[in-house]
Amino acid sequence: RNVTFGGGCFWCTEAIFLQLEGVDRVVSGYAGGSVANPTYRQVVSGKTGHAEVVRVRYDASKCSLGDILDLFFASHDPTTLNRQGADVGTQYRSVVFYEDEEQEEAAKAAVGRAEEEYGREPWFGFVPGTARGVVTEVAPMGDFWEAENYHQDYYNNNKNAPYCYLNIVPKLQSFKVRSKIDDMGRAPDA
């Protein structure tokens, strides 16, 4: 089975899902836009309407779609509109693209769980009146365009790059992500 979603830069999301047992392929790409076969430069301009996404191929006998979606929500901030950290623009939006009715229902249920877990949390856990709702879009899957080769398996191929140290490593080490991966099963080579 495949599931496609975006939660900021695809390099970060890809690195997280490659850690998960039952996931045998993660492909970085673009979806949700109006330009056929867009380039990275076109997408990051914010003018094509695409989101940076990953398409995760998984074995449903080893990990459920609901668990994968819960990890997706734990791996980014689903309460920020068109932004993840320093990455700003609609290309970094939080989105789940569904391929069928089952995925649509699972995505909507996962949004509900995320709303309960993250959408009502005050800023830093204690500042009253700062809770924000989940803004993740749930949309039908249109065309998926695979990103250029240098984007694929970016973290594993560029572990010493400053971007990886500053952005990907902290996500991989976050308690929420580590505990969800440990609960679901870590890939043997992760």
Side-chain angles (χ1 to χ4, degrees):
R1 300 255 0 224
N2 290 312
V3 61
T4 304
F5 41 72
C9 175
F10 46 35
W11 295 341
C12 295
T13 310
E14 175 190 68
I16 289 166
F17 283 89
L18 287 172
Q19 304 285 311
L20 190 60
E21 184 179 18
V23 168
D24 67 350
R25 186 158 191 241
V26 181
V27 178
S28 293
Y30 316 110
S34 59
V35 174
N37 201 23
T39 65
Y40 178 71
R41 292 281 167 232
Q42 289 174 308
V43 172
V44 297
S45 76
K47 296 178 181 174
T48 68
H50 291 90
E52 286 192 16
V53 298
V54 294
R55 174 167 278 175
V56 176
R57 187 172 67 194
Y58 66 99
D59 180 342
S61 71
K62 294 184 179 177
C63 50
S64 73
L65 177 57
D67 285 343
I68 287 176
L69 290 168
D70 290 344
L71 177 58
F72 162 69
F73 281 103
S75 72
H76 76 294
D77 182 353
T79 69
T80 56
L81 184 62
N82 301 328
R83 176 185 197 129
Q84 289 298 309
D87 294 328
V88 178
T90 57
Q91 65 272 26
Y92 302 112
R93 68 190 178 268
S94 178
V95 59
V96 178
F97 290 105
Y98 60 86
E99 296 181 8
D100 56 33
E101 193 174 301
E102 177 189 351
Q103 283 190 350
E104 179 182 18
E105 290 173 15
K108 288 178 178 177
V111 168
R113 290 190 302 276
E115 185 69 42
E116 287 297 313
E117 189 164 348
Y118 311 114
R120 301 181 187 200
E121 214 172 84
W123 197 39
F124 295 115
F126 61 86
V127 180
T130 58
R132 299 175 299 208
V134 170
V135 295
T136 302
E137 176 186 347
V138 175
M141 184 74 223
D143 290 324
F144 171 82
W145 304 100
E146 189 169 322
E148 296 83 348
N149 285 337
Y150 70 94
H151 292 296
Q152 307 305 325
D153 204 16
Y154 186 84
Y155 175 69
N156 288 328
N157 292 323
N158 299 280
K159 287 185 178 181
N160 295 322
Y163 184 91
C164 294
Y165 279 139
L166 296 171
N167 296 286
I168 299 174
V169 170
K171 282 194 175 205
L172 290 172
Q173 293 177 345
S174 81
F175 176 75
K176 285 180 182 175
V177 169
R178 281 184 305 136
S179 63
K180 289 220 183 276
I181 290 173
D182 288 343
D183 288 348
M184 295 170 68
R186 190 171 294 276
D189 57 347

